[in-house]
Amino acid sequence: MIDRNYSEIVPGLLIAIFGAIVAFYAAQNYTIGTLQRMGPGMFPMALGVLIAGLGITQALTGWFKSDLPRIDPASIQWRAAILILLSVIVFSLLIRTAGFIPAVFGVVGISAFADKGARPVTAIVLSIVFCAIAFLIFRIGLGMHFKLIGWPF
């Protein structure tokens, strides 16, 4: 009996289903147009088809692969995974209540500690630098207007 690599088949099928849903939604709700005169639905539909194709390719690779990788749970970097997830949650909670600068500071500051050798001073400096870069890109460069700092209390 050939072992199937279900750790590649299942995510591949989920990606393919997601891509098919995006392509179907774009085809039903937007004008596709032609290749010479593309409509607003052409890009999302093409992207959905591309994502579905990549998902099918990944699933087929897992179906025909016979050597199964063994993952040791001790080798997973749980600290990094938890801190990155926590930083995204903090960003999503702070962006509307406290503003853009505290949200960027929080996401960079927390995710900096995903590295075991991170020090608080380095994380603070990195957060300040990324806040400045984000301000320059989004506010100055792109002209986006949003609340920079707002105290929620």
Side-chain angles (χ1 to χ4, degrees):
M1 178 171 167
I2 298 175
D3 289 332
R4 305 286 183 216
N5 191 350
Y6 292 105
S7 63
E8 286 190 25
I9 295 171
V10 173
L13 291 176
L14 290 175
I15 292 169
I17 290 169
F18 174 75
I21 289 171
V22 168
F24 180 76
Y25 181 83
Q28 295 297 315
N29 295 311
Y30 299 114
T31 305
I32 303 298
T34 64
L35 288 176
Q36 291 179 340
R37 212 159 168 78
M38 294 183 193
M42 179 68 77
F43 182 74
M45 190 184 81
L47 193 60
V49 169
L50 179 67
I51 289 171
L54 290 173
I56 290 170
T57 303
Q58 179 180 350
L60 288 175
T61 302
W63 181 264
F64 292 113
K65 194 180 230 182
S66 61
D67 56 333
L68 297 175
R70 301 289 181 224
I71 298 174
D72 181 25
S75 68
I76 298 174
Q77 296 181 3
W78 292 106
R79 173 190 170 118
I82 290 169
L83 285 174
I84 297 296
L85 181 62
L86 179 65
S87 70
V88 172
I89 292 170
V90 166
F91 180 85
S92 66
L93 293 174
L94 288 179
I95 191 70
R96 288 188 184 255
T97 57
F100 183 70
I101 298 297
V104 171
F105 194 87
V107 74
V108 175
I110 293 171
S111 62
F113 288 105
D115 181 25
K116 290 180 181 176
R119 289 182 270 168
V121 174
T122 307
I124 290 171
V125 170
L126 192 63
S127 297
I128 292 170
V129 168
F130 270 94
C131 285
I133 291 171
F135 174 78
L136 291 173
I137 290 172
F138 292 107
R139 181 54 83 83
I140 306 298
L142 297 175
M144 297 175 72
H145 295 284
F146 41 77
K147 180 171 60 170
L148 290 177
I149 297 175
W151 196 248
F153 305 107

